[in-house]
Each structure stands twice: as C-alpha cells, then as structure tokens.
Amino acid sequence: MLEILPIKLLRDEDAPIFGPLNVVLGKLARLDFPVANGIVVTAPELHLKTVLEYYDCAHKEIFEQTLILVKKEIEKTPVPEILISETKTHNKFLLGSQATPGSVKELWIALLHEWLEEIKKRLWKDGFYPGIAQNLEPKLVIFLKKPEASGIAFFDSLQDDVVINIQTGKLHPNDQRKLFEIVQDANKKLFIPHEYEWIIDKGLKLTGIKSYTQPVILSAIEGSLTKVSPTSNDKSKSTVKVFLDLSKGLVIEREVDGIYISSEKIFDLNKPQTSWEELVFKLVECAHTFPNSPILMKLADMSEGMGKVRGALRLIHQKSLLDRLCEALLFARNKKELRNIHVVIPFVRGVNELVGLKRELAVRKLIRKNNFQVWLELAVPENVINLEDYLTQGVDGIVLNLDELSAHLSGYDHREQEVSFYKHEVTGLLKFLEDGIKLLHQSKIPFIAYGSLSLNPTVLDFLIEKGVYGIVVERFEAPSITELLHNAEKRMILRRTS
C-alpha cells in the first residue's frame, strides 16, 4: 500500500514508515528552517512483490534477462490517485539528485525504477527471498520551480568550518553566508552533525539530510602502511587513561579514553537558551563519538555576581542554574539514550555541600547508580583532610584539581601570571596528597588529575607512581600525551628495578 505525507507533517512516530532522516527534515521544517516543499512516498510493496514472483526472479542468473520485461510490466502500473492529488499543482520534481520534469506519470515511473534498482541490489547480495520487496526506502520528492544551483553542505570538525560543495550552478556570497548559518543552527537543534542537501530555487532551501561521517585522512594511513609492517605497532601505549578536555572546540582527536566537559565554560547566564543548546550539542556529540568511553560533565563552577559564592554552594541556592544543567544531562541521557554521560560535583567546602547537592540532583531524578556515576572534584585542602567523610557519602570517582589545590595550599592565585612561579613549588603539594591517595586506593575509588600542573614532570612522575587512573588534557596536548605517559611509566619501572 502506497502512503504519502508532506515533509512538514512528518513526526517521530512516522519514522518506521517514512524514514528517520526524512522525519528529521520535517522537524527542521517545523522549526522554520528553509526546507523545500515536498512529499515522502512509500513503495507499493504488494504490487512489486506480485510482479517479481510472476516473472520468476528467484535466480540471480535470469534476473538480468527478465529485467526489461519486469520494467515494462511495472511501468504499466497506473499512477495512484493519492500521488495525483498531492502533485496536481506541480510539473517539475527533484527525486534524489535528478530533476524529473514533465508529468506526474514520469515521476511515478522514476519512483518505480528507483525501488526496482534497490530490489536488484538486494537480489545480488542475498538472493531472492519472500520479503525482498518489503521495507524499501521511502523516496523524498521535492517540488521545483526554477532551480539555479544545488549541492551539499556539512560541518567538518577537522577544518572547524562549514564545507559547501556546489554540484550545479553558482552560489552567491550572501547565500553562502546564509547556508553557513543554517548548517550551524541545524546541527545545534538536532544535537548531532548531519550533511545537508540544498538548492537555490527562488531562495535557498534544504532538500535532504544525511548522516554525517567524519572523513578519514587516507593519505596519512597509506603513508604509514608503506613504512610499517602489518604486525608492527610503534604507537606508545600507557595504562593511564587520557581524558580530553572538550569544554571548548569540537572533537578532533580520536585516541582518547574519555571526555571531560566543564559546563561553566559553555553555559552562559547572559545567553541561557543559546548556551544551553551548545551544552546539549556538546554532550550529545561527545557521547555519540565515544559511545564506549565515559563523558564526565562538571556542573558549572561560577563565582561572578554572587559575592564570590561558587561551586556546589551556588548550585544549591541558585535553582535556575542547577535546573538548566540538569535538563541538559537528562535530555542527553534519557531522550537521546546516551548512558555514558556522568556528572562531576564541583568545588565543595564541606561534606554538607556534597550531601546537599546530591539531594538536589536526586530530586531531579539524577540518582547515583550503575549507569550513572557521581564524581567529586577536590579543589581545597579541606577536601583532602576530610576525604574519608566525603567517601562515606558515596562517590564513584575523584577529580584532583591540582591547580586549585596548589593555590589554596600555598596561598597564591594560580590565574595571575605575576605569581605563576609558585606553581613550580610542588613538594608541599605532593606530600599533602600522599595520605589521601592511599585512602582512595584502600577504598578502590579511581582518581583523575585535572589542571596544568598535572603535566609538570615531577607531578606526573608522582601521579603515575601513585596509580592515577587518568589525566585530563587540552586538545593541543592530546597527540603527544600518550608518549609522555609511556616515558614516565618507563622511568618509574627503571627506578623500581635499579
């Protein structure tokens, strides 16, 4: 049975029949994106199945010989009344990448040929089977007037820019700028990068949407294959996990074990809606890109505008801030079913703040369990001194904010360049951390190191010696961090064996 729906009417519940990507295009149309006018048509499965069985297509060898007969028989199929009624005011159509001028009859034949070609591919791949004409791909038909140009556009994270490929015609600079904005806004609304097909037809319009796959740089791979034997592996490895700090920028480095996101670097109270969408986009993008790795989102640690009240205390008392952060977490975890996203509680000054914030999270249905971990950031010396009390409240991991700990312990502002030389005075900090790290190992709680101090050679050797679980690094540090950790581990082994 053939079914037709206009693009704008497609809803989530229509995805099994009309295709999930067509539904996404319909969502953009309802969000007032410039989506071209058109319809989605499903295949007449019963009729196609009857024709194929009549012409005995059970054998691959004779299918090519009978294909001409099958096409002629299918072309005799009368145009469905529903297709005529939906297209009666139009005489030019876009089917796939091909414009189909002329009558509705020619459009119908082009649709049938598309589905027949899909059946042919199935036959050569799997042979003939009873359901070979079922679940054929729904076809997107765009109504055209006077097309001038067409192409595709997508956001390339490697170039950190929108790529516009023009397939026909020319694109005016104003339309290029508009298309650039459309791609960025659409990715934010959909939370996952896509590839967008477009045309210039009395204005810029979207005509299709595809899943976007990050391109692989083949030249680099081919170059390495000519130099390295298939069984060799020169890449340094380390037992310490690498967490990439993606609070800013997009995913580029792939060889990481987890992602760390400081939400205060993304969410802006002056731009609550836009920055909230950026935060959700970041969470969804990272969780999709690294489905088997933990994504740690630190709740916003903001101090401006409230008398320097910051961290967990501000989140407890400013419900509007905590609500938006929790909404982002719940959307990514529940709506998008991304269960690898976990939370980090920031800057606590006492156990009561940890208990209070965990209570607020529980009220918002963010409860610590097997697939939702609650990590705690240690940023002041009090946290280390009373670490046992914090652990009894139940946490799944610890984030050592080394820059903050060093600053509070030695009495300087780590953000000021004039006193940055104090960062190199790490002896006292390492002695202070020893007992706390022993307690973490006894309690079997993993800990990761955060901050620029973690890459200090003395501090890095200490962390590896003490069994750090992971290191949070910036994007520009990611390519070399594994080798750095590998060399530090070698030094540790040599010290122990000498």
Side-chain angles (χ1 to χ4, degrees), residues 7-110:
I7 295 172
K8 280 191 175 182
L9 298 183
L10 293 174
R11 305 279 176 176
D12 289 339
E13 55 268 24
D14 299 317
I17 298 174
F18 293 95
L21 291 176
N22 293 327
V23 169
V24 170
L25 189 63
K27 179 181 179 181
L28 291 179
R30 294 193 302 276
L31 290 171
D32 294 327
F33 281 80
V35 175
N37 187 23
I39 57 176
V40 181
V41 187
T42 63
E45 296 178 356
L46 181 60
H47 177 70
L48 292 172
K49 178 176 180 291
T50 303
V51 172
L52 291 172
E53 290 177 345
Y54 177 80
Y55 280 95
D56 187 19
C57 296
H59 299 90
K60 298 179 185 179
E61 294 78 8
I62 66 170
F63 181 72
E64 286 290 342
Q65 301 171 9
T66 58
L67 184 59
I68 297 176
L69 296 175
V70 171
K71 282 185 176 180
K72 286 183 178 180
E73 181 64 29
I74 285 179
E75 288 173 359
K76 295 177 183 178
T77 309
V79 182
E81 289 296 327
I82 186 174
L83 183 61
I84 295 173
S85 63
E86 291 289 345
T87 60
K88 59 185 177 182
T89 59
H90 304 278
N91 57 12
K92 196 170 186 179
F93 312 98
L94 180 68
L95 177 61
S97 59
Q98 298 296 323
T100 308
S103 64
V104 178
K105 174 68 175 178
E106 291 175 329
L107 171 64
W108 176 237
I109 291 174

Side-chain angles (χ1 to χ4, degrees), residues 137-149:
E137 182 183 355
K139 297 301 175 183
L140 184 64
V141 178
I142 300 296
F143 303 145
L144 298 179
K145 294 179 181 178
K146 190 178 179 181
E148 300 173 9

Side-chain angles (χ1 to χ4, degrees), residues 191 276 279-281 283-285 287-288 291 293-297 299 325-344 361 364-374 396:
F191 304 108
W276 182 84
L279 176 60
V280 175
F281 176 71
L283 287 172
V284 173
E285 182 200 26
H288 266 290
S293 302
I295 312 297
L296 300 181
M297 189 196 99
L299 298 175
L325 298 173
C326 291
E327 286 172 12
L329 275 168
L330 289 169
F331 181 90
R333 284 183 55 83
N334 298 340
K335 294 290 185 180
K336 295 298 180 179
E337 297 183 353
L338 301 170
R339 306 297 184 185
N340 57 330
I341 301 175
H342 310 287
V343 71
V344 178
L361 291 175
R364 291 162 177 78
K365 298 182 181 180
L366 288 168
I367 303 171
R368 177 176 173 248
K369 51 189 175 184
N370 288 338
N371 66 351
F372 181 66
Q373 298 179 0
V374 176
D396 297 287

Side-chain angles (χ1 to χ4, degrees), residues 152-318:
I152 60 172
F154 57 90
F155 188 92
D156 188 345
S157 58
L158 291 176
Q159 300 181 38
D160 199 20
D161 197 5
V162 173
V163 176
I164 299 174
N165 293 332
I166 303 173
Q167 296 172 339
T168 61
K170 296 181 180 180
L171 193 61
H172 192 274
N174 290 338
D175 290 323
Q176 286 187 355
R177 184 163 54 252
K178 186 177 179 182
L179 184 57
F180 179 91
E181 294 172 354
I182 289 172
V183 170
Q184 288 194 318
D185 292 343
N187 279 345
K188 288 179 182 178
K189 292 293 183 183
L190 301 178
F191 304 108
I192 302 174
H194 286 81
E195 184 178 287
Y196 304 92
E197 298 173 344
W198 56 269
I199 58 169
I200 301 296
D201 186 19
K202 296 188 179 298
L204 177 63
K205 299 174 184 177
L206 299 180
T207 59
I209 189 169
K210 297 179 180 179
S211 298
Y212 172 69
T213 304
Q214 178 65 46
V216 179
I217 305 176
L218 294 176
S219 58
I221 297 175
E222 291 167 356
S224 62
L225 289 176
T226 58
K227 298 176 183 178
V228 184
S229 63
T231 57
S232 66
N233 185 8
D234 294 336
K235 184 174 178 61
S236 301
K237 293 184 178 180
S238 170
T239 58
V240 179
K241 307 296 183 183
V242 176
F243 285 76
L244 185 60
D245 189 346
L246 275 179
S247 306
K248 296 180 180 179
L250 295 170
V251 177
I252 293 180
E253 180 64 35
R254 301 284 175 165
E255 298 297 326
V256 294
D257 304 296
I259 300 297
Y260 191 86
I261 299 173
S262 299
S263 59
E264 70 272 8
K265 296 180 181 178
I266 304 174
F267 185 71
D268 187 349
L269 290 170
N270 296 319
K271 300 183 292 183
Q273 185 59 32
T274 303
S275 60
W276 182 84
E277 291 176 357
E278 290 178 0
L279 176 60
V280 175
F281 176 71
K282 178 75 68 176
L283 287 172
V284 173
E285 182 200 26
C286 292
H288 266 290
T289 307
F290 304 97
N292 301 316
S293 302
I295 312 297
L296 300 181
M297 189 196 99
K298 187 182 79 170
L299 298 175
D301 180 11
M302 298 180 178
S303 61
E304 72 280 5
M306 287 188 65
K308 300 299 182 181
V309 175
R310 58 179 290 196
L313 183 62
R314 179 170 182 174
L315 291 169
I316 292 171
H317 292 285
Q318 190 175 359

